[in-house]
């Protein structure tokens, strides 16, 4: 039993460390001291998920590349090909990407883009629509509500996560049961696969709870 507990502790510790590294925010593109020429750069990538930090990549007219990592609560949906202003110091390595200005000035366009992605993500009969209880009417009410682009992006992200993790969890559980039946491993040997399956189901539960909460808040 002690071996099982130790294995679970190590797995959870590794998970926490990975998440901390993934969400670490470097200073690149965020220098408050940047002052000088204001240039425009084109967004060259997309933000595909709303639940973690994301890196915005840009390129100016001369082909010089820029980047800035946004915190999870800063990262919104952006549109590839749009232009973003950058404050550039004489030292080209010191610059500040004005991403907040971009999000604020283009909120309406970004929201429309988020709605289009939501409509592609949420399909009738999908696992997510069944677990969350999404109906055509409730989805239309959500889109017509005061929910901004970030809220819609979060909802679409978690609905997609529910579908993905539900399929992964089903096959992971099936493989675990087959392996346990065929090999009959010791209890301590089951620690890693069991924790992985449990974490997957907890993530599904968290995503479902988040989506239900957003629907209730913006469609009441």
């Amino acid at each position: 039993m002690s071996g099982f507990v130790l294995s679970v502790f190590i797995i959870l510790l590794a998970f926490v460390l990975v998440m901390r590294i993934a969400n670490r925010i470097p200073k690149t593109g965020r220098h408050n001291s940047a002052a000088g020429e204001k240039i425009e750069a084109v967004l060259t990538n997309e933000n595909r998920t709303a639940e973690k930090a994301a890196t915005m990549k840009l390129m100016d007219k001369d082909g010089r590349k820029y980047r800035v990592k946004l915190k999870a609560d800063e990262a919104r949906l952006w549109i590839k090909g749009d232009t973003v202003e950058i404050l550039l110091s004489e030292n080209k390595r010191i610059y500040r990407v004005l991403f907040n200005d971009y999000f604020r000035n283009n909120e309406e366009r970004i929201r429309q883009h988020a709605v289009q992605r939501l409509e592609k993500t949420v399909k009738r009969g999908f696992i997510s629509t069944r677990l969350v209880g999404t109906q055509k009417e409730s989805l239309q009410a959500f889109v017509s509500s005061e929910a901004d682009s970030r809220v819609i992006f979060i909802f679409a992200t978690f609905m997609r996560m529910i579908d993905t993790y539900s399929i992964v969890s089903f096959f992971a559980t099936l493989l675990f049961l087959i392996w346990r039946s065929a090999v009959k491993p010791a209890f301590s040997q089951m620690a890693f696969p069991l924790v992985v399956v449990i974490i997957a189901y907890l993530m599904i539960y968290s995503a479902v709870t988040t989506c239900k909460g957003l629907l209730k808040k913006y469609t009441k």
Side-chain angles (χ1 to χ4, degrees):
M1 187 65 179
S2 59
F4 176 78
V5 174
L6 179 61
S7 298
V8 172
F9 175 76
I10 292 174
I11 292 169
L12 293 177
L13 180 62
F15 179 77
V16 171
L17 290 175
V18 169
M19 292 302 296
R20 288 192 64 179
I21 293 173
N23 288 299
R24 189 182 71 84
I25 306 298
K27 290 184 178 181
T28 303
R30 308 176 70 97
H31 289 280
N32 291 327
S33 60
E37 182 184 7
K38 182 180 287 188
I39 65 170
E40 289 187 343
V42 177
L43 289 162
T44 60
N45 70 329
E46 296 180 348
N47 187 7
R48 299 184 179 278
T49 181
E51 87 283 9
K52 59 184 180 181
T55 300
M56 179 182 281
K57 298 180 180 179
L58 309 102
M59 181 183 294
D60 66 16
K61 62 180 181 180
D62 298 320
R64 182 180 176 84
K65 296 180 180 179
Y66 304 87
R67 62 193 298 125
V68 59
K69 191 169 184 179
L70 309 184
K71 303 174 186 177
D73 58 351
E74 292 176 332
R76 295 171 175 262
L77 184 66
W78 60 76
I79 303 174
K80 183 178 180 180
D82 276 2
T83 57
V84 180
E85 292 184 327
I86 299 175
L87 279 178
L88 189 63
S89 298
E90 290 185 9
N91 182 346
K92 303 299 182 182
R93 294 182 179 181
I94 298 178
Y95 59 89
R96 177 154 51 98
V97 179
L98 305 180
F99 55 85
N100 282 323
D101 292 347
Y102 165 75
F103 290 139
R104 182 169 53 253
N105 296 334
N106 294 278
E107 168 60 21
E108 185 176 348
R109 291 177 55 252
I110 296 174
R111 190 183 190 280
Q112 292 175 354
H113 188 55
V115 170
Q116 292 174 357
R117 292 187 60 164
L118 176 64
E119 292 172 344
K120 292 179 181 179
T121 300
V122 180
K123 298 292 184 181
R124 184 177 180 182
F126 276 23
I127 298 172
S128 57
T129 58
R130 293 178 181 275
L131 293 180
V132 177
T134 307
Q135 303 294 330
K136 183 178 180 180
E137 294 76 15
S138 61
L139 190 61
Q140 289 178 340
F142 178 67
V143 170
S144 302
S145 70
E146 296 181 353
D148 61 17
S149 62
R150 175 167 170 74
V151 172
I152 295 173
F153 185 36
I154 291 173
F155 185 81
T157 296
F158 279 89
M159 290 292 280
R160 187 172 65 249
M161 283 176 59
I162 294 169
D163 290 322
T164 302
Y165 282 106
S166 294
I167 296 172
V168 171
S169 298
F170 171 77
F171 284 106
T173 303
L174 184 62
L175 289 173
F176 174 76
L177 293 176
I178 293 174
W179 171 71
R180 183 173 179 272
S181 177
V183 179
K184 293 181 174 56
F187 190 67
S188 59
Q189 292 177 306
M190 295 190 295
F192 179 76
L194 185 59
V195 170
V196 170
V197 171
I198 291 174
I199 289 176
Y201 281 108
L202 287 176
M203 293 181 75
I204 294 171
Y205 174 78
S206 176
V208 170
T209 302
T210 298
C211 290
K212 284 184 175 180
L214 291 176
L215 274 182
K216 182 178 180 180
K217 179 179 180 180
Y218 289 96
T219 61
K220 63 181 178 180

